[in-house]
Amino acid sequence: MTDTAEKPVQRRIRTGEGWGTYVSGAIIVLGCLLPFYWMMVVAFRDVGYTFSTIPWPTHVTFDNFVAALNTSSGNNMLRAIGNSLVISAVTTTAAVLLGVTVSYALARLKFAGKGFVTGIILAASMFPGVALVTPLFQLFTDIGWIGTYQALVIPNISFALPLTIYTLTAFLHDLPWELEEAARVDGATRGQAFRKVILPLAAPAVFTTAILAFIATWNEYLLASQLSRPNVEPVTVAIARFSGDNPYIQPYAAIMAAGTIVTVPLVIMVLIFQRRIVAGLTAGGVKS
């Protein structure tokens, strides 16, 4: 009996094919990493060679990190890092809890005004933050919230929610309805089906939005610079207000060291969870 099965067609890869993609990616990566690399080089360099143009580490010292963590000049980086952790954690938790419920309603339920609600969320995500500085400052001054955690958490929740809602809505919309319907046929309520079927499947997207919301809140500066005070000051504002022993000399090397202390944990976190982040962003994007 003659075997009529066709042999798999092998695609010949031409020499140089795809090089443009690699070159473009390398340029983007270098453009993103070079400022971070230079910040670390200056952070580990002796203060007397702060403005040296040598592109690799020289005169390595840890004195700049000691100066960054020193509180004798009125700086308190550790307290600022703790404030940022509290603000980012509370903001992320609230944004994810609210976002996942709103996303489920937009993706799964039919109700009047659904398109209007979606449009309002989109408009809120495009609203410039600089336009909110004056009214929020006036409002929080009147109610005595300037320099409190809630003055920094509540505006950040409004910024993180649109990102959370749109990421989760796109994912939940592509989940098969049959899974939820099967759970309800077995006797589960809509809430039970949501908790036991939908949420476990949406874990990659929820994890992704949580990381992105945390990073966005951690890096927020504009509103924080106006609504915070030294006792409740996020790390971005603390670095901007960093001062040295000499009021006439800007401590650039210590500022670079402080920036390194703040940035390196975020970079490590993204590198550790990069697979989950990519999975969450691309999940539901391709239908079988």
Side-chain angles (χ1 to χ4, degrees), residues 47 50-51 239-244 246-255:
V47 66
T50 299
F51 300 102
I239 293 176
R241 296 177 180 173
F242 203 86
S243 59
N246 191 333
Y248 301 102
I249 300 177
Q250 190 73 3
Y252 292 108
I255 292 174

Side-chain angles (χ1 to χ4, degrees), residues 158-241:
S158 66
F159 294 146
L161 261 179
L163 170 66
T164 303
I165 292 173
Y166 273 100
T167 302
L168 293 177
T169 300
F171 179 85
L172 294 176
H173 187 270
D174 288 333
L175 287 180
W177 276 97
E178 292 79 6
L179 297 174
E180 185 177 358
E181 292 174 352
R184 299 190 66 184
V185 168
D186 291 339
T189 63
R190 183 179 291 276
Q192 291 173 336
F194 172 71
R195 293 192 302 271
K196 297 181 179 181
V197 177
I198 300 300
L199 275 183
L201 293 174
V206 173
F207 192 85
T208 300
T209 54
I211 292 178
L212 296 178
F214 183 92
I215 293 175
T217 305
W218 181 276
N219 292 330
E220 203 284 322
Y221 171 76
L222 179 61
L223 289 177
S225 64
Q226 302 299 321
L227 303 179
S228 65
R229 292 295 180 267
N231 59 323
V232 183
E233 187 176 62
V235 70
T236 52
V237 179
I239 293 176
R241 296 177 180 173

Side-chain angles (χ1 to χ4, degrees), residues 22 71 97:
Y22 292 117
T71 59
L97 290 178

Side-chain angles (χ1 to χ4, degrees), residues 83-107:
N83 291 335
S84 287
L85 285 174
V86 171
I87 295 167
S88 300
V90 174
T91 299
T92 301
T93 302
V96 170
L97 290 178
L98 292 173
V100 72
T101 53
V102 175
S103 301
Y104 177 81
L106 294 176

Side-chain angles (χ1 to χ4, degrees), residues 35 38-52 63-65 67-68 75 239-261:
W38 189 251
M39 178 179 68
M40 293 189 63
V41 169
V42 176
F44 284 98
R45 182 172 286 168
D46 185 86
V47 66
Y49 299 88
T50 299
F51 300 102
S52 173
D63 292 343
N64 297 322
F65 292 90
N75 308 308
I239 293 176
R241 296 177 180 173
F242 203 86
S243 59
D245 296 330
N246 191 333
Y248 301 102
I249 300 177
Q250 190 73 3
Y252 292 108
I255 292 174
M256 292 296 185
T260 301
I261 294 173

